[in-house]
Amino acid sequence: MRNIFLHLHPSNISESSLRFNRTFGLGGMAALLIVIQMITGILLRFYYIPSPAEAYNSIIFIKNQVLFGQFIRNIHYWSGVFLLLIAFLHFLRVFFTGAYRDSRSVNWIFGLILLLLIVFANFTGYLLPWDQLAYWAITVSTNIIGYLPVIGESLRDSIIGGKELNAGTLQTFFAFHTALFPFLLIAIVFYHFWRVRKAGGVLLPETQGKSKMVPVMPNLIFREFIVGLVLIASLLIFAALFNAPLLDKANPSYSMNPTKAPWYFAGVQELLIHFHPFFAAFIIPLSVMLFLAWIPFFKYNEPPNGHWFISGKGMESSKHTAVFSTVVTLAGILFNAYVLNFEMVMHGVPALISNGVIPLLILLLLMGSYYQFYLKGFRLSKAELVQAAFVFIMVAFILLSLTGIFFRGKDMELTFPWNV
Ligand code: HEM
């Protein structure tokens, strides 16, 4: 009861959990960014008007007339971007230290829910300025939902409240962005914190687990304070140097070229260029999500040891898999763009087969061969194998996203970033 921070932490913790390279302070940074988002969001709300006629003008007013309006808008925008990147890095650190299993498996699942919530909080905020960028980015992204089988079209129409974006869409997105998602985020983050404590704190390697216990105050609190200050300073510098984007007011009859989805959906948009929508928007993302959610529940032979990448062998196989994934992804993108377009070559064959089943089978065959003729030689444990699969997916996802964000220009053709 002496100190509010002690409700979040135990009074003593193991000295080795203080090491920066255990967590990099990423979970704490994500929590701080959520707080910054809430504060700046409330400030913006004083002037923002959620209607297609007024939204854009209210943003212009905030930019030009409100004291520090542009700066607050920049902080809100960049803390949303930082939050997504930092939560993603936190998710990678949790995975690569093996902290997703046993008493931590529930927290892994809630972590995934948090990651999705952050994506959708960003996504719903993206539409609010109602400029060309927002209008067309949300149009292409919601069109992706329309590709889902059977329910796709009607699901898309009910999310946006009609055939194209309208006043209802803006109001729904506004309500989700300012009420539902913040509420769920806060509630789940508290639960997430509680579960970290319930699991006995951060997972530590056995050798370090028995290290000396030290009081949280000042040892941990002081470190958290420094990390928080550095984060806030970087965010402020960023917000001072780079303005949040704002183009012309939305014009539904003049589409942008290229029309890109928000950067966190660029990977899925890139997949749509290479695979039939049924696979790109449904089968592949769903399989990846199911795999991620199932990771804690595979039958592993040994308990997690808390070491980065499990072992030397785990580290080596991850590096090799990262190279393999890089080669397959980049070669696939270039091959599809410049050498062979399955749909064009196989005239008369349904696109679902030529552009879906066939490229997917080729990909699975490559992955199977890599496993059979190369990875098997490492004699990996189940956890190390799951790790290799995770590395393959993450590297492919990051490369697809980078290609979509930086290397797609007019008509979504491949190009260099300086020509985009
Ligand atoms: C809003 C987003 C999030 C916040 C604020 C948050 C916060 C935290 C904090 C403060 C910790 C304590 C250790 C640390 O700082 O790393 C932690 C641990 C943990 N987080 Fe998160 N987290 C978030 C998202 C996620 C995501 C996306 C995942 C994974 C899917 C995840 C899974 C876990 C797990 C399993 C632990 C326990 C780790 C261990 O025992 O070593 N969290 N989280």
Side-chain angles (χ1 to χ4, degrees):
M1 296 297 280
R2 267 186 308 124
N3 186 317
I4 183 123
F5 293 108
L6 296 181
H7 288 288
L8 294 175
H9 299 302
S11 43
N12 293 303
I13 45 165
S14 144
E15 196 171 26
S16 29
S17 64
L18 293 173
R19 289 188 189 173
F20 189 57
N21 70 359
R22 195 51 353 219
T23 65
F24 299 105
L26 292 163
M29 286 197 241
L32 177 59
L33 285 166
I34 292 180
V35 175
I36 296 175
Q37 285 270 277
M38 308 276 164
I39 298 172
T40 48
I42 290 171
L43 291 177
L44 290 173
R45 175 64 189 102
F46 282 113
Y47 292 98
Y48 176 76
I49 305 169
S51 83
E54 296 296 333
Y56 184 77
N57 296 341
S58 65
I59 298 282
I60 297 281
F61 186 80
I62 291 172
K63 262 171 69 99
N64 299 336
Q65 309 285 322
V66 178
L67 188 63
F68 292 120
Q70 171 79 71
F71 192 47
I72 302 286
R73 172 164 188 256
N74 292 352
I75 299 175
H76 192 70
Y77 177 83
W78 287 115
S79 54
V81 173
F82 277 33
L83 175 59
L84 201 42
L85 290 176
I86 283 176
F88 182 68
L89 291 177
H90 171 65
F91 151 84
L92 294 184
R93 110 72 195 141
V94 168
F95 179 81
F96 287 118
T97 53
Y100 52 80
R101 285 198 256 155
D102 306 340
S103 58
R104 294 175 174 82
S105 50
V106 176
N107 231 3
W108 172 261
I109 300 294
F110 275 91
L112 290 179
I113 296 173
L114 281 174
L115 204 52
L116 281 181
L117 275 175
I118 296 171
V119 168
F120 287 114
N122 262 287
F123 182 67
T124 44
Y126 210 96
L127 182 65
L128 302 189
W130 203 256
D131 64 339
Q132 279 288 76
L133 189 67
Y135 187 92
W136 290 103
I138 303 301
T139 300
V140 284
S141 318
T142 45
N143 282 346
I144 297 178
I145 302 170
Y147 293 129
L148 299 184
V150 192
I151 53 161
E153 286 277 320
S154 43
L155 183 64
R156 177 188 167 280
D157 292 355
S158 38
I159 288 175
I160 65 171
K163 288 284 169 208
E164 53 184 47
L165 305 189
N166 54 59
T169 326
L170 186 57
Q171 269 148 22
T172 311
F173 275 46
F174 177 72
F176 276 56
H177 184 73
T178 55
L180 184 68
F181 289 147
F183 169 76
L184 288 176
L185 264 176
I186 295 179
I188 298 178
V189 164
F190 272 109
Y191 180 69
H192 190 68
F193 275 33
W194 177 70
R195 294 230 52 124
V196 173
R197 277 200 66 177
K198 251 201 121 204
V202 172
L203 177 66
L204 295 172
E206 256 171 47
T207 43
Q208 297 172 13
K210 297 180 188 74
S211 74
K212 199 170 90 196
M213 298 297 275
V214 292
V216 159
M217 187 82 145
N219 296 290
L220 178 60
I221 302 291
F222 179 69
R223 283 172 169 81
E224 287 181 338
F225 191 66
I226 301 289
V227 170
L229 283 187
V230 172
L231 176 69
I232 291 174
S234 331
L235 184 63
L236 293 186
I237 292 173
F238 226 80
L241 293 179
F242 305 103
N243 282 339
L246 187 70
L247 303 185
D248 294 336
K249 188 172 178 172
N251 180 352
S253 46
Y254 174 69
S255 80
M256 309 248 303
N257 188 359
T259 306
K260 291 193 182 184
W263 59 276
Y264 32 88
F265 288 142
V268 179
Q269 198 182 16
E270 180 63 31
L271 268 185
L272 274 163
I273 298 177
H274 305 287
F275 285 96
H276 185 278
F278 177 66
F279 290 93
F282 182 57
I283 297 289
I284 298 176
L286 188 72
S287 315
V288 168
M289 281 200 269
L290 288 178
F291 170 71
L292 293 179
W294 197 250
I295 281 178
F297 309 108
F298 287 107
K299 283 241 165 310
Y300 296 102
N301 305 327
E302 316 86 16
N305 62 16
H307 288 291
W308 278 91
F309 295 95
I310 306 169
S311 60
K313 222 167 42 170
M315 165 86 95
E316 271 308 291
S317 53
S318 295
K319 279 192 205 156
H320 290 240
T321 308
V323 173
F324 173 69
S325 179
T326 306
V327 173
V328 169
T329 312
L330 295 185
I333 293 172
L334 294 173
F335 188 78
N336 194 223
Y338 298 119
V339 184
L340 186 72
N341 182 320
F342 291 105
E343 207 176 339
M344 281 195 198
V345 174
M346 292 181 229
H347 255 340
V349 179
L352 187 73
I353 310 266
S354 63
N355 209 18
V357 177
I358 291 180
L360 193 67
L361 281 180
I362 295 177
L363 179 65
L364 291 177
L365 202 72
L366 283 172
M367 289 167 73
S369 316
Y370 171 70
Y371 170 71
Q372 189 63 27
F373 301 115
Y374 190 77
L375 207 56
K376 231 176 162 184
F378 280 94
R379 299 184 180 286
L380 301 178
S381 67
K382 178 74 99 28
E384 287 161 340
L385 254 184
V386 168
Q387 181 173 260
F390 181 87
V391 168
F392 182 89
I393 293 171
M394 287 304 132
V395 171
F397 170 73
I398 292 170
L399 289 174
L400 286 169
S401 303
L402 291 177
T403 308
I405 297 168
F406 297 112
F407 295 92
R408 290 277 169 197
K410 202 161 175 279
D411 298 328
M412 295 302 274
E413 296 288 346
L414 278 181
T415 181
F416 287 105
W418 46 90
N419 296 332
V420 172

